[in-house]
Amino acid sequence: MADGQRSEHESFDRRLVRKSPWIFHFNSGGCNGCDIEFVAALTPLYDVERLGAKLVASPKHADVLVVTGPVTLQVAKSLKLIYDQMPEPKYVIAIGTCACSGGIFSGGYTVLGGVEKVIPVTICVPGCPPNPKEIFRALEAIYKGEIKVAGGGCGEEQNRG
């Protein structure tokens, strides 16, 4: 794809997501600490709905996949299937140290590691658990178009624009 076409395509992607970043949440096998903080980010205190964000029941309607917990061998195929069902452009936010790198579960015989082992990650929000403000900032960055679809992943500097 030529550079002109790519920038036009990215601009189109930003306009689409800016309208309404719908979120699908998936726990890939953690302790639920990050789930609690993610739900806290959805409350009126942080109010992600001001960004037009809302939870959806199907990945087929989602723009953003939020993953918490380390990826276990049991859920790896399900996570990939959920990611494949999402329409383009799609963003993945790994919430918590376990989703970013496997955390304390890394090296366990049933743990594959972080989300990046299965699907590309757009934004990592490390922490055990992370602060809801950081989760809000990640969603805000997607809403404002500061994150490109092909993100920097968990181990690299974030791809903010």
Side-chain angles (χ1 to χ4, degrees):
M1 184 182 301
D3 287 340
Q5 290 175 330
R6 179 169 295 173
S7 64
E8 183 178 311
H9 179 71
E10 289 174 359
S11 175
F12 179 71
D13 291 347
R14 289 181 184 166
R15 282 181 288 160
L16 278 178
V17 173
R18 188 170 187 145
K19 283 185 175 179
S20 56
W22 288 7
I23 303 165
F24 184 80
H25 175 225
F26 183 73
N27 182 332
S28 59
C31 67
N32 297 101
C34 296
D35 298 315
I36 293 168
E37 298 304 319
F38 173 65
V39 171
L42 300 176
T43 63
L45 181 63
Y46 300 99
D47 193 19
V48 294
E49 288 187 9
R50 70 180 131 159
L51 306 175
K54 73 173 205 173
L55 280 177
V56 294
S58 169
K60 294 177 182 175
H61 302 142
D63 305 300
V64 180
L65 174 61
V66 170
V67 183
T68 56
V71 178
T72 63
L73 295 174
Q74 187 176 14
V75 302
K77 285 183 181 176
S78 298
L79 179 60
K80 176 73 173 136
L81 179 65
I82 287 169
Y83 178 79
D84 290 342
Q85 290 178 349
M86 293 175 60
E88 295 285 344
K90 49 188 160 187
Y91 301 86
V92 177
I93 302 175
I95 294 181
T97 302
C98 295
C100 294
S101 65
I104 62 170
F105 301 104
S106 184
Y109 67 95
T110 61
V111 175
L112 195 58
V115 176
E116 265 189 333
K117 299 271 185 178
V118 180
I119 59 176
V121 174
T122 310
I123 303 174
C124 285
V125 183
C128 186
N131 189 313
K133 289 179 186 173
E134 295 301 319
I135 298 168
F136 178 83
R137 287 188 187 119
L139 289 167
E140 186 179 40
I142 290 173
Y143 173 74
K144 290 182 174 178
E146 296 174 352
I147 301 291
K148 295 184 168 85
V149 174
C154 292
E156 303 170 16
E157 188 174 318
Q158 296 299 310
N159 193 10
R160 295 181 185 227

